[in-house]
Amino acid sequence: MSTKKLYTVIVFSENTVGLLNQITIIFTRRQLNIETLSVSPSAIKGVHKFTITTFAEEDTIDKVVKQIDKRVDILNASYNTDEELIWQEIALYKLSTDLFIKTSTVEALIRKYNARVLEINEDCVVLEKSGHYEETQALFDELRKSISVLQFIRSGRIAITKSKVERLSDMLAAMESKLEKGNNIQNG
């Protein structure tokens, strides 16, 4: 019996128009819901990194990643479990300044959750908390009970592998070596 598990799919590509749509269609065809999605430039100039989380069975996620990896615009696609990654999410909480000032437990909550105050003005206070989903959600739940949250937003997961280098670095080095050998044979 297979069980669904949370997987983080990491995709490296050039920044190509429509690529996100093509990737999400692959998830949709397999009836996988994307839990979180984050896209940003990677450590390599001109290469973007997609970080996608979804619940799936391992054989299904393996097929999805192989299908993504076959696309021309994709440089590398892989999947990981939480144990193979270092990851975080960020959450922002907008609170009423009046209620914030009147609440005696607010300083304890900020210390307990290691939150940061980003903005204080006459209308609102904005707190920031980075951490895992459970941590950002726990702070939200406590703030909602004690102060009332005006607005709340949580980012998608950002993640790096626990290995020494990104897999893409190894792949690009191997491709460059292969190209150099091919050029040497042609010129030789």
Side-chain angles (χ1 to χ4, degrees):
M1 180 176 160
S2 295
T3 58
K4 289 188 176 185
K5 184 176 183 174
L6 184 67
Y7 288 97
T8 301
V9 176
I10 297 175
V11 178
F12 291 98
S13 74
E14 295 178 15
N15 193 13
T16 306
V17 174
L19 185 59
L20 179 57
N21 184 50
Q22 293 170 25
I23 291 171
T24 58
I25 286 171
I26 294 169
F27 282 86
T28 303
R29 285 187 188 139
R30 299 274 181 180
Q31 297 184 349
L32 294 176
N33 186 46
I34 293 175
E35 298 293 325
T36 66
L37 169 67
S38 175
V39 182
S40 65
S42 74
I44 301 167
K45 187 177 178 169
V47 176
H48 279 65
K49 182 177 183 178
F50 295 69
T51 307
I52 305 163
T53 61
T54 188
F55 284 96
E57 295 172 352
E58 187 169 14
D59 62 325
T60 303
I61 200 68
D62 186 57
K63 290 173 186 171
V64 165
V65 168
K66 285 177 180 171
Q67 193 173 358
I68 292 169
D69 208 27
K70 287 180 185 177
R71 303 220 45 96
V72 172
D73 299 330
I74 301 298
L75 301 171
N76 182 267
S78 61
Y79 67 92
N80 299 89
T81 61
D82 285 354
E83 297 77 30
E84 300 165 322
L85 299 170
I86 299 165
W87 57 276
Q88 290 287 293
E89 295 179 357
I90 186 169
L92 300 178
Y93 312 80
K94 184 177 180 181
L95 314 166
S96 162
T97 302
D98 290 341
L99 294 174
F100 183 83
I101 291 170
K102 291 176 186 173
T103 305
S104 61
T105 59
V106 101
E107 182 183 355
L109 281 176
I110 290 171
R111 289 180 187 278
K112 176 181 175 181
Y113 288 98
N114 197 25
R116 284 181 6 160
V117 176
L118 293 182
E119 171 82 18
I120 297 179
N121 62 45
E122 61 188 42
D123 298 319
C124 68
V125 175
V126 178
L127 302 179
E128 171 201 358
K129 166 72 181 135
S130 63
H132 291 177
Y133 174 88
E134 296 78 14
E135 298 166 308
T136 59
Q137 186 63 39
L139 177 56
F140 173 76
D141 292 341
E142 287 201 46
L143 287 170
R144 187 176 53 188
K145 287 179 203 166
S146 62
I147 296 178
S148 175
V149 178
L150 300 175
Q151 290 182 37
F152 173 70
I153 187 73
R154 183 182 3 254
S155 72
R157 175 179 286 200
I158 56 169
I160 56 176
T161 61
K162 289 183 178 179
S163 63
K164 289 184 181 182
V165 294
E166 289 182 311
R167 292 181 183 126
L168 181 62
S169 302
D170 293 340
M171 189 194 88
L172 290 175
M175 286 172 58
E176 191 174 299
S177 175
K178 193 183 258 187
L179 282 173
E180 286 176 11
K181 287 179 183 177
N183 288 339
N184 289 341
I185 291 171
Q186 277 184 332
N187 297 333

